[in-house]
Amino acid sequence: EKNVSVVVTLLEEGQSSPQRKTKKITSINPNEKTSLVFEDLKPVTGRDMVNVLSVKAGPVEGERNAENNEDEFRFVMLPEEG
């Protein structure tokens, strides 16, 4: 596969203004894993603030099963104490 788009969306739960970044994987073989670094995403901080990070890759041409191309993670960033 070549030039596979990967879209990362970071959203504060309950809000409607997501942060969105896109990168491309220049080349990857089927079943191969790789890593990308997305910078400048700013999660909200606070015990009651839930961040939702969504990641979607592809689809690639001819892909038969795109169900495993997307995932979502919920997390809380605690403020630094000190």
Side-chain angles (χ1 to χ4, degrees):
E1 282 44 299
K2 299 206 182 300
N3 296 317
V4 179
S5 288
V6 179
V7 179
V8 172
T9 305
L10 179 63
L11 178 66
E12 179 185 348
E13 191 170 63
Q15 299 299 313
S16 60
S17 300
Q19 301 172 57
R20 187 171 282 119
K21 300 282 183 178
T22 302
K23 288 196 173 191
K24 289 200 182 270
I25 300 171
T26 54
S27 180
I28 190 167
N29 294 316
N31 299 315
E32 184 180 0
K33 294 180 182 181
T34 191
S35 298
L36 294 172
V37 176
F38 289 85
E39 299 183 62
D40 301 323
L41 292 170
K42 296 179 178 26
V44 293
T45 304
R47 293 189 186 281
D48 298 327
M49 308 285 222
V50 177
N51 294 280
V52 182
L53 181 70
S54 301
V55 181
K56 182 176 181 181
V60 297
E61 188 175 325
E63 185 169 22
R64 287 183 253 147
N65 178 17
E67 290 180 21
N68 63 347
N69 291 6
E70 195 169 345
D71 213 339
E72 184 176 279
F73 307 91
R74 295 178 184 287
F75 64 96
V76 173
M77 296 288 292
L78 298 178
E80 262 189 64
E81 294 188 24

